[in-house]
Amino acid sequence: MSSDIHARLDGLPGFPVLAGRRVRLRDPCPGDADAVFALFSHPEVMRYWSSAPMRSRMQAEGRIGEMQDGFARRESIDWLVAARDDDRAIGSCTLYRFDARHRRAEIGYALHPDQWRRGLAREAVSLALGWGFRSLGLHRIEADVDPRNEASRRLLLSLRFSSEGLLRQRFLIDGRAADSEIFGLLHHEWSPGPPRRR
Ligand SMILES: CC(C)(COP(=O)(O)OP(=O)(O)OC[C@H]1O[C@@H](n2cnc3c(N)ncnc32)[C@H](O)[C@@H]1OP(=O)(O)O)[C@@H](O)C(=O)NCCC(=O)NCCS
């Protein structure tokens, strides 16, 4: 299938809001600053993240601006994961580093620890993957994970990603080196059905 990712991104009528059973993926707004700060300042969330935890609410405001700019420039789709019942932001999910020639993108995600182990990340990431494959025509979606991050590894494996290799000391975070395990999922491997049983 031939596809021009940039044309599809440029042709979006607005920010793509995706609705699941328990979460909704929506655009960020200035009113989300407290929730974004609560997420990206939490030591458990940031334990294996590729940057240091936020230290001030202003950083969250700046991050929301970057998320909005990324979409305006069609360089990233930075969703906030919102609870279906009250629309409060409980996490984030991002498709970024679009490579149109190879129909490839990367995915990243985080959920507030209050919401862990309820299947919400799986639901949110599934929505983003489905949209990336179907609406953008992506051929491959990648994720890079600190190999000590068992929750993220398990999430990706349950979504049929394959572990494809280890890049040593790829990140230096606050002076400490961290390895990076690369995961990949091809369009024909993607299925929104129940998790793969191991
Ligand atoms: C990774 C993260 C998003 C998972 O969120 P979650 O909502 O708890 O995940 P889910 O409940 O949807 O679970 C998805 C799968 O991962 C497994 N899993 C989740 N947390 C786990 C843990 N701590 N240990 C082992 N497995 C775990 C679940 O059992 C499930 O597997 P299954 O479908 O085979 O049963 C969450 O831990 C997080 O936000 N971590 C901090 C941010 C982060 O590290 N992001 C990734 C950077 S690469």
Side-chain angles (χ1 to χ4, degrees):
M1 182 186 73
S2 74
S3 144
D4 185 336
I5 308 281
H6 292 309
R8 292 187 187 208
L9 283 166
D10 289 343
L12 290 172
F15 192 93
V17 174
L18 310 177
R21 200 167 58 83
R22 292 181 295 166
V23 298
R24 207 165 72 95
L25 270 53
R26 64 163 173 82
D27 44 338
C29 65
D32 293 311
D34 285 336
V36 169
F37 182 60
L39 183 67
F40 290 113
S41 63
H42 199 293
E44 285 300 303
V45 174
M46 302 305 282
R47 188 165 173 198
Y48 301 117
W49 204 255
S50 54
S51 58
M54 286 181 182
R55 290 185 185 87
S56 77
R57 190 180 181 280
M58 264 177 60
Q59 286 176 285
E61 291 166 7
R63 176 81 189 105
I64 289 171
E66 287 166 12
M67 293 165 94
Q68 292 172 327
D69 289 349
F71 178 68
R73 291 195 301 268
R74 300 298 194 266
E75 287 175 3
S76 59
I77 312 284
D78 242 311
W79 288 280
L80 284 182
V81 179
R84 272 304 289 256
D85 48 1
D86 59 6
D87 203 40
R88 75 188 186 289
I90 55 171
S92 77
C93 186
T94 308
L95 275 177
Y96 64 117
R97 297 212 178 110
F98 295 115
D99 184 325
R101 177 193 281 217
H102 304 291
R103 284 195 278 132
R104 187 173 69 212
E106 292 187 30
I107 194 161
Y109 41 80
L111 217 64
H112 193 278
D114 290 352
Q115 308 293 333
W116 285 0
R117 303 303 295 256
R118 299 176 56 211
L120 298 182
R122 190 167 197 287
E123 184 177 323
V125 175
S126 294
L127 287 167
L129 293 173
W131 185 83
F133 286 131
R134 285 195 216 96
S135 300
L136 284 190
L138 291 171
H139 172 65
R140 171 183 163 88
I141 298 180
E142 300 176 352
D144 75 72
V145 178
D146 186 312
R148 297 167 299 178
N149 190 348
E150 197 53 29
S152 186
R153 298 186 75 259
R154 291 291 289 263
L155 169 63
L156 292 170
L157 291 170
S158 85
L159 289 165
R160 301 183 168 85
F161 277 77
S162 294
S163 169
E164 298 177 335
L166 188 76
L167 305 183
R168 295 171 308 147
Q169 302 196 5
R170 187 159 176 246
F171 293 104
L172 291 173
I173 304 141
D174 279 346
R176 281 211 301 275
D179 294 343
S180 191
E181 184 176 357
I182 304 300
F183 286 79
L185 179 69
L186 306 181
H187 188 176
H188 74 267
E189 297 167 339
W190 157 247
S191 154
R196 183 175 70 181
R197 288 288 148 224
R198 292 180 298 278

